[in-house]
Structures are given as C-alpha cells and as structure tokens.
C-alpha cells in the first residue's frame, strides 16, 4: 500500500498533528512564514516523494489567506513528487454562498471548489459541510469527495459529561433536522425542529400571525440540546432559545460543529441563558471541547 503522511497549514497545525497521532500516520512539518511584505513562504520539511499527503487546512479565521496558503502548499507538494494530495478541510469557507442569489453576485463556493481542484487536490474530506441547497458534496466536486459528520462525537461528549433530564434535541430550523436526528440517536432522545407555523387560520394581520414553534414535541420542563452546524453571530441560537424559553423548557445546552463565533456570539448565547455551549476544534475557539481528529482519522483509515 502507498505510504501516507499528514501535514497542516497555518490554521490547523496542531489539529494535523492530532490527526496524525490518531491515525498512526507520520506527520511532516511545514515551514510556514511570511516575508516582510506579507507574501507567504512555504517549505516542506520532509520526504513526500511518491506518498499520499493529507493536507489539513481549516478555512477560518482568515479564509482568503488560508485558501491561498492551501493552494501554495498543494501545488508545491505535487511539484516535489507527492503522488496524491487529500485536502482535509474541517471548516469549508464560502459554503453559505452556494448560489447566485442576486443578479451579478459571485457563486463563491463554485469558485473555491474549482480552485481546490485545479491546484492538484486529488480527494477532499470535510466535516458537516453547509449543504442546504446542494444535494450532496459529489455534486460540487469532480474529484472524489467526502462529507463526514462530527455530531455523534459532540453528542457523545454531552452524554458522558452532562446529565440532561428528559432531554429533547432541537434543530433551530428545518435545515438542522439532519444534525438533530443524529444527535438524538446518540443520546437516545427525541428530536424536533423549530418551524414557522400559522397560529390562526384567519387571514387578517392580527390573527393570521406566524409564530416559530417546535414542530411536534412538547418541551415543557425538559432539558433541551440545540444543535446547529455553524454558530456565526449567534443570532440563530439566541432566537431559538427565546422560542424554547417561551415553551417552558428547563435547561438549554448548545452544540455546534463549527464555532465561527463572530460579533460576541458566545456572550450573547450565555446571556440568553444557555447552560453550556460546546463546539469542535474545526475552528479553534474557547468552546472547542470536542476534537474532530478522531472522526477524521477514522475516515482516513477507511
Ligand atoms: C444557517 O443556515 C446555518 O445553519 C446556521 O444556522 C447559521 O450560519 C448561523 O449563523 P448565525 O450564528 O449568524 O445566526
């Protein structure tokens, strides 16, 4: 079998090392620096000739910078003899710009995908990609691609460390149902999503109002675990918490795959009354209690 190594860009060097350890694949270090004018310097400090190289690079907190660095790394690896490059992108930037929503707008996800392929990536592996309008990752890439989920590991952390009473798992919107279902299975709990419901059949403004509510479950007195793929500004979670509090829930916990956490998101969620917010290290953050390394290592080994 062809020899494999793992390496990591600036966003994910520690994570790459953890993935190497978890998968028992040798780690190769990169010398990554910047010249005084801001241009990048890249050197591979190991032998990659004829090997499959797993390049770990998450695309936050400087998505454009990390993307360019990824392109330089991969092109260089191919030039110096790597036989294959597997791009491991735990957090995939630009996934939310997955279409042209207004005339003249860039379909940025398509551009990023094209560039990742054209630079010489042979395979792509990512975690809980924000695929809401595109059916599957294989519709995006021409090269082999895998989208794996870390939600079972997040839910296992909750099961092992927190004692939820009569728990229910809630997706803050219909798009999050896929993750709510997976977390619920791990916790052996019920799940539901919040959705807009017309609270009266009357059409006038006052009574024809729409409210956000759990689709079916009664949540009064229960501990609730909200699950979403990304927490960015925290707005979605805070809005969901408002609805859940009105439904009379007891304690609220939150799990997320990708803690982007901009605009004081964490503060807003804790101020809204969350007991604990748990994320992964797909993006290093103060809530990165769960590592994506075991999930990725399992996928590489397969
Ligand atoms: C939306 O479709 C995503 O699944 C997340 O709910 C969203 O990106 C979260 O963003 P924010 O934290 O800014 O509300």
């Amino acid at each position: 079998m062809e020899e494999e190594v793992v390496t990591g860009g600036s966003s994910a060097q520690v994570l790459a090392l953890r993935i190497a350890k978890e998968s028992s694949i040798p780690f190769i270090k990169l010398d990554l620096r910047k010249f005084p004018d801001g241009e990048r310097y890249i050197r591979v400090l190991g032998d990659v000739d004829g090997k499959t190289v797993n390049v770990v690079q998450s695309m936050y907190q400087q998505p454009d910078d990390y993307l360019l660095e990824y392109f330089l790394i991969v092109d260089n690896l191919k030039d110096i003899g790597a036989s294959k490059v597997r791009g491991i992108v735990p957090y995939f930037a630009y996934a939310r710009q997955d279409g042209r929503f207004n005339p003249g707008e860039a379909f940025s996800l398509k551009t990023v995908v094209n560039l990742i392929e054209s630079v010489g990536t042979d395979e792509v592996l990512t975690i809980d990609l924000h695929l809401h309008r595109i059916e599957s990752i294989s519709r995006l890439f021409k090269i082999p691609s895998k989208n794996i989920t870390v939600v079972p590991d997040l839910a296992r952390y909750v099961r092992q460390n927190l004692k939820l009473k009569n728990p229910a798992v809630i997706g803050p919107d219909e798009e999050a149902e896929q993750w709510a279902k997976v977390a619920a299975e791990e916790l052996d709990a019920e799940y539901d999503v919040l959705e807009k419901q017309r609270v009266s059949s009357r059409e006038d403004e006052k009574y024809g109002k729409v409210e956000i509510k759990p689709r079916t479950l009664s949540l009064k007195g229960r501990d609730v675990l909200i699950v979403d793929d990304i927490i960015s500004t925290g707005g979605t979670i805070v809005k969901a918490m408002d609805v859940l509090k009105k439904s009379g829930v007891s304690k609220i916990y939150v799990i997320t795959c990708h803690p982007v956490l901009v605009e004081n998101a964490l503060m807003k969620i804790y101020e809204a009354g969350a007991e604990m917010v748990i994320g992964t290290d797909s993006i290093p953050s103060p809530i990165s209690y769960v590592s994506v390394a075991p999930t990725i290592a399992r996928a590489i080994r397969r």
Side-chain angles (χ1 to χ4, degrees), residues 96 130 132 173 175 228-236:
R96 283 173 287 180
H130 186 91
H132 288 173
D173 49 36
E175 293 167 334
D228 206 359
D229 58 340
I230 299 172
I231 298 179
S232 182
T233 64
T236 305

Side-chain angles (χ1 to χ4, degrees), residues 271-285:
E271 274 177 350
E275 295 293 320
M276 190 168 179
V277 189
I278 298 150
T280 78
D281 58 356
S282 74
I283 298 168
S285 80

Side-chain angles (χ1 to χ4, degrees), residues 239-253:
K239 209 194 283 171
M241 288 180 69
D242 286 345
V243 172
L244 293 170
K245 285 187 280 186
K246 279 188 204 133
S247 307
V249 303
S250 180
K251 291 181 174 156
I252 301 177
Y253 301 83

Side-chain angles (χ1 to χ4, degrees), residues 5 18 26 36 38 45 57 71 78 86 93 116 118 122 144 164 168 195-196 210 213 230 243 259 282 290:
V5 292
R18 290 190 73 172
L45 303 174
Q57 181 80 308
F71 301 146
K78 284 302 198 55
R86 183 180 294 125
I116 287 176
S118 66
D122 298 282
L164 270 62
E195 64 175 17
K196 286 188 183 143
V210 163
K213 288 175 146 188
I230 299 172
V243 172
S282 74
V290 175

Side-chain angles (χ1 to χ4, degrees), residues 20-223:
K21 285 213 166 118
E22 286 278 345
S23 55
S24 306
I25 295 174
F27 177 74
I28 282 190
K29 217 173 162 181
L30 302 178
D31 184 2
L32 302 168
R33 281 183 269 155
K34 276 194 177 175
F35 290 108
D37 61 1
E39 291 179 2
R40 287 198 165 274
Y41 169 87
I42 291 183
R43 185 172 175 205
V44 178
L45 303 174
D47 177 24
V48 295
D49 197 27
K51 296 179 184 172
T52 294
V53 185
N54 294 279
V55 179
V56 188
Q57 181 80 308
S58 222
M59 303 301 180
Y60 196 73
Q61 287 150 351
Q62 294 101 34
D64 297 347
D65 201 21
Y66 291 151
L67 270 168
L68 180 68
E69 188 189 62
Y70 175 85
F71 301 146
L72 295 170
I73 293 169
V74 174
D75 194 37
N76 180 39
L77 284 168
K78 284 302 198 55
D79 271 355
I80 62 173
S83 66
K84 186 168 150 187
V85 167
R86 183 180 294 125
I88 299 181
V89 186
Y91 177 68
F92 204 106
Y94 290 102
R96 283 173 287 180
Q97 192 62 39
D98 57 353
R100 187 167 283 114
F101 308 110
N102 293 298
E105 220 171 56
F107 180 0
S108 312
L109 178 59
K110 178 174 73 67
T111 310
V112 169
V113 164
N114 287 344
L115 288 167
I116 287 176
E117 285 180 338
S118 66
V119 82
T121 310
D122 298 282
E123 274 180 29
V124 164
L125 179 68
T126 187
I127 301 256
D128 294 298
L129 180 62
H130 186 91
L131 282 176
H132 288 173
R133 282 163 284 264
I134 295 168
E135 203 178 287
S136 119
I137 190 168
S138 56
R139 298 234 157 200
L140 278 175
F141 283 97
K142 294 189 272 303
I143 56 175
S145 53
K146 254 192 221 161
N147 179 29
I148 53 176
T149 181
V150 70
V151 171
D153 286 27
L154 279 164
R156 200 167 309 123
Y157 180 93
V158 170
R159 182 162 52 75
Q160 288 167 351
N161 295 282
L162 310 169
K163 298 275 166 275
L164 270 62
K165 293 201 188 86
N166 190 15
V169 181
I170 297 292
D173 49 36
E174 286 162 354
E175 293 167 334
E177 181 163 3
Q178 52 183 308
W179 296 293
K181 184 169 184 279
V182 171
E185 267 162 27
E186 182 63 40
L187 289 169
D188 202 13
E190 292 181 303
Y191 73 92
D192 202 351
V193 293
L194 302 183
E195 64 175 17
K196 286 188 183 143
Q197 292 177 20
R198 190 166 283 283
V199 288
S200 155
S201 56
R202 288 174 61 171
E203 287 298 320
D204 56 280
E205 205 182 304
K206 188 166 170 208
Y207 296 101
K209 242 176 35 185
V210 163
E211 261 184 22
I212 301 175
K213 288 175 146 188
R215 190 189 281 160
T216 52
L217 285 187
S218 164
L219 300 173
K220 199 166 170 26
R222 301 176 75 169
D223 284 351

